[in-house]
Amino acid sequence: MSKDCGNHGGGKEAAVRRLCGAIIAFIIIVLITIFLVWVILRPTKPRFVLQDATVFAFNLSQPNLLTSNFQITIASRNPNSKIGIYYDRLHVYATYRNQQITLRTAIPPTYQGHKEDNVWSPFVYGTAVPIAPYNSVALGDEQGRGFVGLMIRADGRVRWKVGTLITGKYHIHVRCPAYINLGNKAAGVLVGDNAVKYTLVTKCSVNV
């Protein structure tokens, strides 16, 4: 009787081991398949272009406070012919010499199909944002010369879609230099009473 019970227990353990082995083998096969598809298709990161910026306000006041309000147009292209991109989260904001000068504006989640383009026109703004004293001096000097160099940034998370497979989330960081001629309104197009739209067409760097 004891031998039968022992054999029965051993049979259960063997079945559990076989089941665990089958699950592990299945997971490994799935991972290898995803890896091979990924390598064969060679996904290319999306391309971004900062097309223009409409400046509604850009005022530096004492003590080192900046109030700004822009509407930017930023375009994204998926260069892949067999891979789609999910933008699960994307926040746009402006910086000056690595200091954030506006709030983050969220772009609605979207899916970008094969060889597809998306264009967004978010507002980025900040009211009485404290600026580091040395940045305030540099910004005042640039304003005096006319051109101001900002960096429009977009940070978020993306997923890749290959057929029916969807990857995990990846960080995406977009950097778009914006050199705006605030000293010459004639360099842009007057919009309304005070706003000026400046054409930029600046290629952005993208890290995923």
Side-chain angles (χ1 to χ4, degrees):
M1 178 66 73
S2 61
K3 288 184 179 180
D4 291 341
C5 291
N7 290 335
H8 186 63
K12 282 187 176 180
E13 291 178 1
V16 170
R17 284 196 298 269
R18 286 195 297 270
L19 178 60
C20 290
I23 293 173
I24 292 172
F26 175 76
I27 293 174
I28 291 174
I29 291 172
V30 170
L31 292 176
I32 291 175
T33 301
I34 293 174
F35 175 75
L36 290 176
V37 170
W38 187 262
V39 170
I40 292 171
L41 294 178
R42 292 190 298 274
T44 302
K45 59 189 177 184
R47 298 168 186 159
F48 282 76
V49 174
L50 178 62
Q51 295 183 340
D52 57 59
T54 301
V55 181
F56 294 88
F58 197 87
N59 302 309
L60 182 62
S61 60
Q62 297 300 325
N64 307 322
L65 299 176
L66 177 64
T67 294
S68 60
N69 188 353
F70 305 88
Q71 184 179 22
I72 63 168
T73 302
I74 188 167
S76 170
R77 177 169 178 77
N78 176 9
N80 299 285
S81 59
K82 297 181 180 179
I83 299 175
I85 304 173
Y86 284 101
Y87 294 92
D88 290 327
R89 187 178 68 193
L90 203 60
H91 291 95
V92 181
Y93 58 102
T95 63
Y96 178 75
R97 295 195 173 190
N98 294 320
Q99 180 178 359
Q100 185 172 336
I101 60 172
T102 68
L103 299 173
R104 293 171 178 255
T105 299
I107 290 178
T110 186
Y111 173 74
Q112 191 173 52
H114 314 150
K115 298 286 187 179
E116 191 171 275
D117 297 292
N118 288 84
V119 179
W120 300 291
S121 297
F123 282 88
V124 289
Y125 59 91
T127 303
V129 177
I131 303 296
Y134 53 87
N135 280 343
S136 180
V137 172
L139 184 56
D141 290 342
E142 288 189 13
Q143 279 189 289
R145 293 194 298 269
F147 277 91
V148 173
L150 305 178
M151 185 71 72
I152 304 300
R153 304 191 179 204
D155 297 327
R157 298 282 187 90
V158 297
R159 289 176 295 157
W160 307 90
K161 183 176 184 293
V162 184
T164 58
L165 299 175
I166 300 176
T167 69
K169 295 182 179 181
Y170 290 81
H171 290 281
I172 183 171
H173 303 285
V174 182
R175 302 291 180 264
C176 307
Y179 298 98
I180 304 174
N181 190 358
L182 295 177
N184 181 14
K185 290 186 177 182
V189 177
L190 191 63
V191 179
D193 294 331
N194 298 312
V196 181
K197 183 177 182 178
Y198 298 93
T199 300
L200 302 174
V201 192
T202 303
K203 291 184 179 180
C204 309
S205 64
V206 181
N207 291 313
V208 179

